Amino acid sequence: MKQDGKLDYLEMPATGGTLDRLKAFYSSAFAWSFTDYGPTYSAFAEGLDGGFQAEAEEAPAKPLPVLYSRDLEKTLRAVESAGGAIVKPIFSFPGGRRFHFVDPAGNELAVWSE
């Protein structure tokens, strides 16, 4: 149910890679599916929560989408196999573990697990 003032959508650039290449990457690494709206836009529906990081050393320069995984090591291998570049290997943080990667368009994302 949509509510006023609630985060509802995450839009990421695809300018650093082709749209087909990005769709193939996310389909392969995370089993995402897409709905195309013309030749330059493709939508996904894969869940959304969020948070803010106020510590300067920890804060990302841009918004950081964070995905969840029950098996972090398996997901890391899937990201690498699909063509993602690991930029922060698996590390612990309060509440779990995660890693960061860059997709074929240059977007940085993270994957976390408990």
Side-chain angles (χ1 to χ4, degrees), residues 37-63:
Y37 293 97
T40 62
Y41 198 93
S42 191
F44 55 86
E46 304 298 338
L48 180 66
D49 278 331
F52 292 102
Q53 174 58 267
E55 188 172 326
E57 297 83 37
E58 297 293 324
K62 302 178 201 175

Side-chain angles (χ1 to χ4, degrees), residues 14-61:
T15 55
T18 68
L19 190 56
D20 288 340
R21 187 169 161 212
L22 279 174
K23 288 168 43 180
F25 170 79
Y26 285 100
S27 292
S28 176
F30 301 107
W32 285 15
S33 58
F34 297 89
T35 302
D36 292 333
Y37 293 97
T40 62
Y41 198 93
S42 191
F44 55 86
E46 304 298 338
L48 180 66
D49 278 331
F52 292 102
Q53 174 58 267
E55 188 172 326
E57 297 83 37
E58 297 293 324

Side-chain angles (χ1 to χ4, degrees), residues 32-97:
W32 285 15
S33 58
F34 297 89
T35 302
D36 292 333
Y37 293 97
T40 62
Y41 198 93
S42 191
F44 55 86
E46 304 298 338
L48 180 66
D49 278 331
F52 292 102
Q53 174 58 267
E55 188 172 326
E57 297 83 37
E58 297 293 324
K62 302 178 201 175
L64 179 69
V66 181
L67 311 173
Y68 179 77
S69 172
R70 286 184 299 257
D71 185 337
L72 205 56
E73 287 76 12
K74 179 180 177 184
T75 301
L76 186 141
R77 290 190 302 272
V79 166
E80 290 179 317
S81 293
I86 306 302
V87 294
K88 287 187 183 178
I90 294 173
F91 64 94
S92 295
F93 69 96
R97 300 180 312 132

Side-chain angles (χ1 to χ4, degrees), residues 86-110:
I86 306 302
V87 294
K88 287 187 183 178
I90 294 173
F91 64 94
S92 295
F93 69 96
R97 300 180 312 132
R98 75 185 200 191
F99 69 89
H100 293 206
F101 70 93
V102 174
D103 71 15
N107 298 302
E108 184 173 343
L109 289 88

